Every structure is written in structure tokens, then in C-alpha cells.
Amino acid sequence: MPQPKQPTSVFGKRLRAARKAMGWTQAELARRIGMEEENTGAPRVSRYETGLHEPDQATAEKLAEALGLPLAYFYATPDVLAEIILLVSQLPASKQKEALERVRGLLGKE
């Protein structure tokens, strides 16, 4: 059996990792965002993961929502910024504001 193509984009790499972390197939993720046709949904997700195609804004938002992740996470570079986005997104809104103030403090922009 051939090995799956490796992602060539930051978006694709993070999309594949998030999907696999949920234990979903490409077809399952496609179904969850409304791509009901199995013969086209899974191949589209595959193309997003490998970087062959970039999803449009609406599709990217649906993918992020289905996976429970902020859209910015899929595009952020470098990886440390993506991790910060993930961590802050998991905080309640009041704690997010506190985190923002702390970052501003680190920059001397309070």
C-alpha cells in the first residue's frame, strides 16, 4: 500500500494532525463539515492536507470549527506562535484578557 503524501503546507500539516488526533478519517471530517458526497469529500480533505489545494475561507472556518480549534492556529507561523494561539484559545475569556495583558507587559506596552 502506498504511503500517504506528506503535507507541504503549514495548514495541511496542522489539519492532518488535528484530524488524526480526533481519530477521524478524511471522509468523516468531510461529512462533519457538510461534504456529504463521500467520493468527493475525502479527496478534497486529502488535497487540503497535502497542500495541493487551499480551502476557501468558509471551508477553512468549517474545518477549524469541526475540529474545535481556532482558525488562526492553522495559518500561524512559526510553530511557537501556533502553540500560543492554541493555549490561549483554551482559556476562558477573562483569562484570555489576562494573558493578553501579560504579553503586553513583556513587551513593555501596558
Side-chain angles (χ1 to χ4, degrees), residues 27 30 58 78 93 97:
K97 289 179 183 179

Side-chain angles (χ1 to χ4, degrees), residues 63-85:
L63 289 164
E65 184 178 340
L67 293 162
L69 298 169
L71 181 59
Y73 166 74
F74 291 96
Y75 293 102
T77 56
D79 287 340
V80 70
L81 182 57
E83 186 174 354
I84 290 168
I85 290 168

